[in-house]
Amino acid sequence: MNKNKITAIALLAVLIASFTVLLSLGSDIYREKPPIPNAYVGINGQIIFTKDDIEQGQLVWRSMGGHQLGSVWGHGSYVAPDWTADWLHREAQAWLNITAQHRYQKPFAALDSETQAGLELALRNDIRHNTVIEQADGTTEVRLSAVRTAAVEQVADHYLSLFGSDPELSSLREQYAMKEGTVPSLERRTKLNAFLFWGAWAAITERPNENYTYTNNWPFDPQLGNTPTSSNIVWSILSIVTLIAGIGGLVWHHAGAKHDPLPKPAEQDPLFFTKPTKSQKAVTKYFVTAIGLFLLQILLGGITAHYAVEGQNFYGIPLAEILPYSVTRTWHTQLAVFWIATAWLGTGLYIAPALSGHEPKFQRIGVNILWAALVVIVLGSMAGEWLGVQQYFDLDMNFLFGHQGYEYIDLGRVWQILLLVGLFIWLALVTAAIRPALKKQGEMTPVIWVLYASCVAIGLFYGAGLFMGKHTNLAVAEYWRWWVVHLWVEGFFETFATSVIALMLVRLGLIRARSANAAVLFTTVIFLTGGLIGTLHHLYFTGAPTSVIAWGAIFSALEVVPLALIGFEAVESYRMRSAAPWMIRYKWAIMFFVATAFWNLIGAGVLGFLINPPIALYFIQGLNTTATHAHAAFMGVYGMLGIGLMLFCLRGISGSLVWNDSYLKGAFWTLNIGLAAMVFMSLLPVGLTQFFAVLENGYWYGRSPEVIHSPLVETLVWLRVPGDVLFGIGGILLGLFLFDLLRKSLVKKPLTDTAEDLTAEV
C-alpha cells in the first residue's frame, strides 16, 4: 500500500471519527440545553413570562436584527451591549437596591462594605438557585422570589423604554447605535423582554446538581458568582500543551520528510495557448459581480464602523433611520460571504472544464442561469432584511423572507433554501464538467477527487442551517449555525482552495504531480483533524455541557498546528512568481496566494489562538478581539485567496489581453497594508482595552457605553480611518483593473507572448 493510499484512509478515518464526535455532542447539547419552562411565576402565583412569550420574543429579537444589534451569550455585534450580561447586571443592581431600601432604608451604595458583602451573598443565593419545578401534568415552572420579581419588572420597564421611543433614553439609544422605535409595538417589546430574561436566567441559573450555570458561568461577573469553572482552566492549560506537542510533531515530520526538487518550468506558458470554452468565458460575470459586492461591502463596513463613534448619525446625518446599524452590519457580514463565495464558485466552474477538457452540453446556459439566480438571491435577501428590521413584516413573514437574526445566516428562510438550491445547481454543473477527469486514472487523480469531494461538501453543508427552526432553542440553533459558519466556510472551502491551487501549479509545471498529491492529502488530513471538532470552541458558553469545553479546547488548538509551518508555504509561493520568464503573467495571483499564507499565520493562527482557549474566550468573547481575528482571518485568508483564484482564472479567460499590472500592484499593497492598519491600529487595541475593563469590573462593563464611548476607545476607533481609506483604495483599484480588462476585451487588443513583450510587462 503506497503512502497516498494510507493518507487517504487516514482522511476517511478523520472524517468518520470527527463527525461521530460532533453528532454525539450535538445529541448531548439537545438533551442538556437550558430548559424553557412553561411559566415563570412570582411568589404569589402571578405569571411573569410564559413559554409562548419567550418563543415569540425570540422571533421579535430575530426580526430586529438579532445578533446584529448587540449580542446574546456573547455572540453578535459589538456596539450595543451583550443583552445577557446587561440584563444580569441591571437585575442585580435592582435586587440589591430594593433589598437595601427595605432592610436599611438606604441605597446599596451607601452601605458599609460588610453589609454590602452580606447582601451580595443573599443575592447569589436567590438568583443562582435552580427552582425549575415539574408539575403533575408534565409542565414546568420557575418560581421567583418577591424581590427578584420586583427587580425583573424594573429591568423590563427599562427595556420597554429602550427599544421604543422614550425620549429619556434617546442618548443611550444613540450610544448603542439603535434607531428610534427599534421595536415600535409594545406587545412585541414585552415578548422581547421574555426572551432576553430567559437568556439571562440560563446564564445565572446553576445546572441541577452542579455548581456552575447552564452557560458554564459565563458571563464573568464576580458579584453574581459567575467566575471561571475548573474545567475552563484545566482544559485551557491542556490545549496549550496540545498545541506545543502538535507543532513539535509537525516540525519533526516536516524535517524528516523527503522533498522532491521543483521541476524545471517549461519555456513557454503551458496555458497561454489554451482557448477558454464558452462556459469559462461566461464565468467572467461571476468575478465582476464578486468585485461589485466587495466594493459595496467596503462601503457598508465604513458606515458600520462610524456608527461606533457617532451612534445613529453619519457625520451628522441621521442615517440610522434609513439604514440602521443592524442593517448595515448585516449586509457587511453577509456580503463578505457572498462575494468570496461568488469568486470561489466561479473558480469551480472555470477549473472543472479545464481539468477534464470537456464542455458539457448547455453548460454555458447553466452558468448564466445560476449567476442570475445568485443575483436575485443576494438582492432579494438584502431587501428582505431591510424590510424585516424596519418591522414591516409580521413575525412569521419575517422568518420566511426577512431577517433570521443569526449572524452569517441572516437571510430569510425562503432565500436560504433558494441559496441551497443554487449550490446544488453549481454542484451539478461542476459534476457534469469534471466527470471525465474523475473517470481517468492519472497523476492528479487523488487531488481531483479531493477537489470534487470538497465541492460536494460545499453543496451539502450549507443545508445544516435548515435544521434551525422557527422556535429552536438557542443552544441548539447555535450548534447548527456553527456547522455552517465553521464547517462550510473554514473547513470545506479550505479543502477546495488547497486542491485548486495545487492543480493550478501542477498545470503550470511549477510543482510535480506526485508532490502535489502527497501535500494535498496530508494537508487536508491535518486541517480537518483539528478543524471539524474545533467547531466546538464556538460553543463553550452557549448552553452546552462541559464536555464541549474539553473537546473544543483540544481540537481548536490542533487547528493552529499546521499554521506553524505556513511560512514555508509563503516562501515557496513567493519563489514561484519568478520561476520562469512567463510567470510574470501570474505574478499577482501568486502574490495574493503569498498574502493568504501570511494572514493564515497571523489572522487565523496568532489572533485565532488569542481567543481560542476557553479561559481566554471566557473573558473576551464578543469583544473587539473577536473582530480582530474575524477581519484578519476572513478577509486576510479567504478574501485574499478569492482574489488570487479570480486572477488566475481571469488570466486564462483573457488570453492575450494586456493586463494593467500597476492597478494590481496598487491593489495588493493597499489592501494588505490597509487591513494590517485596521487590525493593529484600531481593532486589537480596542479589544485589549475592553479586556482590561472586563477583568476589573465584569463582562458587562467591557461592553458598556462607559468603555465603548470613552475618549480612549473613540480615539482608537477613529484610528481605523487611515487603514479603512487605504483598504477602500485597494478595492477601487481592483475594480479599475477589472473594468480596464473588460474594456480591452471589447477591442481584443492582442499580446504576442515574446521575451520582449514579457520584459515590457515587467
Side-chain angles (χ1 to χ4, degrees), residues 19 649 666 749:
F19 281 111
C649 296
K749 182 178 180 180

Side-chain angles (χ1 to χ4, degrees), residues 424-731:
F424 281 139
I425 294 173
W426 173 76
L427 178 59
L429 292 170
V430 170
T431 301
I434 205 173
R435 184 184 294 129
L438 296 173
K439 293 179 179 179
K440 296 178 182 177
Q441 288 297 320
E443 289 183 317
M444 292 304 295
T445 298
V447 176
I448 293 173
W449 270 104
V450 170
L451 171 66
Y452 181 66
S454 67
C455 291
V456 173
I458 289 168
L460 292 177
F461 275 84
Y462 185 76
L466 298 178
F467 287 102
M468 300 182 295
K470 189 183 296 184
H471 299 299
T472 299
N473 186 292
L474 185 60
V476 177
E478 285 288 356
Y479 171 75
W480 290 115
R481 181 171 78 92
W482 286 107
W483 267 59
V484 176
V485 179
H486 190 98
L487 289 184
W488 189 61
V489 176
E490 298 182 39
F492 297 112
F493 265 121
E494 183 93 43
T495 305
F496 172 83
T498 302
S499 306
V500 168
I501 292 174
L503 289 165
M504 289 176 173
L505 296 178
V506 169
R507 285 180 62 82
L508 286 174
L510 298 176
I511 60 175
R512 299 182 189 278
R514 183 177 64 182
S515 301
N517 280 328
V520 168
L521 288 172
F522 181 74
T523 301
T524 302
V525 170
I526 294 299
F527 266 108
L528 295 186
T529 296
L532 297 181
I533 300 178
T535 304
L536 298 171
H537 78 259
H538 299 286
L539 306 176
Y540 294 152
F541 313 117
T542 59
T546 305
S547 55
V548 166
I549 294 181
W551 284 97
I554 295 300
F555 282 87
S556 64
L558 290 176
E559 281 188 278
V560 184
V561 167
L563 303 179
L565 298 181
I566 208 75
F568 290 102
E569 180 185 327
V571 171
E572 289 171 2
S573 298
Y574 185 73
R575 287 172 178 167
M576 287 178 184
R577 85 197 193 287
S578 55
W582 49 263
M583 271 301 294
I584 191 65
R585 294 163 51 79
Y586 301 95
K587 174 183 177 181
W588 293 107
I590 295 291
M591 289 299 290
F592 275 101
F593 293 158
V594 173
T596 298
F598 171 81
W599 287 109
N600 226 340
L601 174 62
I602 301 300
V606 176
L607 298 176
F609 195 72
L610 172 68
I611 65 174
N612 271 8
I615 193 62
L617 200 60
Y618 180 80
F619 293 108
I620 62 181
Q621 178 164 281
L623 305 185
N624 272 266
T625 44
T626 304
T628 301
H629 162 63
H631 282 74
F634 206 88
M635 177 61 214
V637 179
Y638 300 105
M640 297 296 176
L641 185 54
I643 295 171
L645 294 174
M646 177 186 69
L647 292 178
F648 194 100
C649 296
L650 284 174
R651 175 50 82 184
I653 294 170
S654 63
S656 59
L657 294 179
V658 179
W659 281 20
N660 190 329
D661 278 2
S662 60
Y663 285 141
L664 289 179
K665 180 179 180 180
F668 176 83
W669 289 111
T670 51
L671 285 174
N672 280 281
I673 294 173
L675 179 60
M678 186 190 311
V679 166
F680 295 110
M681 290 176 60
S682 180
L683 290 173
L684 183 58
V686 170
L688 294 177
T689 301
Q690 290 180 288
F691 187 14
F692 281 109
V694 169
L695 291 174
E696 291 170 2
N697 294 288
Y699 184 83
W700 66 272
Y701 186 68
R703 293 286 301 273
S704 68
E706 289 81 2
V707 174
I708 297 295
H709 291 283
S710 65
L712 172 60
V713 169
E714 288 204 346
T715 300
L716 291 172
V717 174
W718 277 111
L719 285 176
R720 274 193 63 160
V721 173
D724 284 5
V725 169
L726 270 178
F727 192 84
I729 291 172

Side-chain angles (χ1 to χ4, degrees), residues 38 133-141:
N38 293 91
I133 302 172
E134 186 168 350
Q135 305 296 320
D137 60 359
T139 61
T140 55
E141 70 175 31

Side-chain angles (χ1 to χ4, degrees), residues 91-294:
E91 184 182 329
Q93 301 317 301
W95 193 102
L96 291 169
N97 278 310
I98 291 170
T99 306
Q101 288 290 354
H102 176 71
R103 294 185 184 179
Y104 307 106
Q105 292 75 51
K106 292 180 181 179
F108 177 75
L111 301 176
D112 61 76
S113 58
E114 290 185 359
T115 306
Q116 286 183 344
L119 287 186
E120 288 175 343
L121 178 61
L123 165 67
R124 291 192 288 272
N125 289 336
D126 180 20
I127 205 169
R128 294 183 66 87
H129 185 54
N130 194 323
T131 57
V132 177
I133 302 172
E134 186 168 350
Q135 305 296 320
D137 60 359
T139 61
T140 55
E141 70 175 31
V142 173
R143 292 190 176 273
L144 305 183
S145 67
V147 178
R148 190 173 186 188
T149 300
V152 167
E153 289 175 350
Q154 281 192 23
V155 181
D157 287 341
H158 168 76
Y159 279 176
L160 286 176
S161 299
L162 177 66
F163 289 100
S165 302
D166 187 341
E168 291 187 7
L169 295 181
S170 290
S171 176
L172 190 58
R173 276 191 293 274
E174 184 173 344
Q175 290 176 320
Y176 292 166
M178 295 171 59
K179 73 185 187 75
E180 294 295 320
T182 300
V183 182
S185 165
L186 177 60
E187 180 184 3
R188 288 193 182 186
R189 295 202 301 275
T190 303
K191 305 287 188 186
L192 174 63
N193 274 340
F195 172 68
L196 297 180
F197 164 76
W198 173 80
W201 173 84
I204 200 58
T205 302
E206 293 178 349
R207 289 182 178 272
N209 304 315
E210 301 290 354
N211 63 354
Y212 54 84
T213 71
Y214 285 105
T215 57
N216 290 306
N217 277 1
W218 190 93
F220 175 59
D221 194 330
Q223 188 179 56
L224 292 172
N226 264 10
T227 54
T229 63
S230 57
S231 294
N232 189 308
I233 297 171
V234 169
W235 289 108
S236 295
I237 294 171
L238 292 178
S239 75
I240 296 172
V241 173
T242 302
L243 173 66
I244 296 171
I247 291 175
L250 189 63
V251 171
W252 194 349
H253 175 273
H254 183 80
K258 293 181 180 180
H259 302 283
D260 292 336
L262 295 177
K264 182 180 179 181
E267 294 183 2
Q268 290 186 320
D269 181 353
L271 303 183
F272 183 74
F273 299 104
T274 303
K275 185 178 179 181
T277 67
K278 291 181 179 180
S279 70
Q280 287 178 315
K281 290 181 180 178
V283 168
T284 303
K285 62 176 66 67
Y286 284 75
F287 301 132
V288 173
T289 304
I291 296 304
L293 296 177
F294 180 39

